Amino acid sequence: MNTTEKDLRPVLLFPGQGGYDGAALHQARARHPEVEDVFGRIDTVTVELFGRRLSDVLFGDGPVELPRLLEQDPWISQLAVYGSGLAAHRILTGRGVTPAALIGHSLGEITALVAAGAFSVENGARIVARRTGIVAEGAFQDGAMAAVAASAERCLHLLGLLADSRLAVAAENHDGQTVLSGPREAIEHVRVIGGRLGIGVVELDTPFAFHNPALADSGARFAEFVRGIARHPLTVPVLSPILQRFYAPEEDLAGPLAAHFTRPVRFSAAVRDLYDAGERLFIESGGRAALTSLVTKTLAAGGGAPAEVTVLATLTAGHDGAPALAATLRTLHERGQAEADVLPELRRRLAPTLTDEEFEAFWAAEGTDVVALVTRMADAFRGGPAADGSPDGQDPVTTTAHGTAPAPAQPARPSPSGEPAPARNAPAAPADAAATPATAPPTRSELFEAVRTLYAEALEYPEDVFTPDALLEAELGVDSVKQVELLARASQLYGLPARGSDFRLADYDCLDKIVDLLHDELSRHSAEGAAV
């Protein structure tokens, strides 16, 4: 494989059971607004389903670790793992990391599918919650899972010795570790026999037994639930260690996700397949660093060359006790695979009297609102001296959660009416432009097609996901900051003036409403131009 460090894209790994580190998540929340955003969206679902905000449990007086979460309702630990994986993914991609593929371990496969755009964050949370509830009502009212320090082949001999049909291989992590699932009393028998044979057996931090043939009826019920959830095409390839293949972009996911209940996770085989395909950079997107360890051990035992492979963690502490996320982002930036951290520079420019810690706390709480405000200000300046939106005729500035960068000049593209539209950074129109005859505004259907194309290109989504009533945030995962930016682009494309302070973005949550807004404004603008 001929590639360089700069253009090598990573494979993101999403952990399952046990993939939660409360202290690391707490630290990330203080610095990265993405954490607050992800868990805020999950909170809307937990309030709807359970009458409680997950954030109140996780971010109360201080970090809460997994053992305490497991003492509470089962959905809490499962959604904590899910939310941690998505938050890490949002932080990475927000810094410019572009994954080559996503892969999840057990529960993490649902997280990977949400990260790839198959489901909204909210619907992913509903799927995780329903999965938890169905397993809780399933074959094992007191189920457990245990990691056995032996190969899958040796564990099958152990199961044959015990002759308990309720026990099953749940995961093949690497050649020296296999996970078994079944009733707690049967898992205890495995621990006792393993001890006498000199085989290490450790019970996992999970409320239930997953990946067991006894859960077939539960899987069928789960498939029926998933079929009722809005599904969108994948924007990033997702490899399933359970199915041992990539998902098709528009595949029906009900059956495959139901298969998770009964089939084992063959994680080691999936990692070897990725290595054989040329992948050399793996990043764990979530709590702890269990999957990073599995990748290294799998490749070392399988005849690979671990020295060629870079494996990085995110929401866990590094070897020196410092957050692994910060070190990972620095490493990726040095390799040209992530943007620089601009928070220190922002602090020096905006609030030099604050410490780094104080500014990070402020940015975590208010950063998203600050970005939205700057975007609205840029939109307001579009009515000023320069047609490109900058007050002094310089290049306009695109604002992101990480800082500012000059917006590149865009080539002219045809307007819906067939006339060429000016480039975004085109010179200002002459002062007597109002004297030229006004052209008729585009029809609503022409406007819809143009706006859909603009949104699809900006978000790198297929156009067909933008149905008229698809909710931009709840279903497509487009946050409010990005919505403000896209609406501003659409307005600028048609030369519409800035909107008043009473404008409410929340009233325009789907493309149909946005097109109605633009069509009405264009009609009024055209009528006013004709009157002049």
Side-chain angles (χ1 to χ4, degrees), residues 1 8-13 100-104 237-241 244-246 266-283 295 298-299 309:
M1 179 177 180
L8 181 66
R9 294 186 297 159
V11 173
L12 299 190
L13 315 168
L102 313 178
I103 176 173
V238 178
L239 175 62
S240 168
Q244 285 296 291
R245 63 173 176 80
F246 282 94
R266 299 184 60 215
F267 187 76
S268 56
V271 168
R272 282 192 286 267
D273 287 344
L274 288 167
Y275 178 84
D276 291 342
E279 301 298 347
R280 296 293 184 270
L281 175 57
F282 297 84
I283 305 175
V295 169
T298 293
L299 296 179
V309 176

Side-chain angles (χ1 to χ4, degrees), residues 6 29 33 61 130 136 166 369 389 396 404 425 479:
K6 186 169 183 178
R29 179 172 176 258
D61 297 332
R130 186 58 178 153
R166 301 172 300 171
D369 290 339
T404 58
N425 290 353
D479 61 42

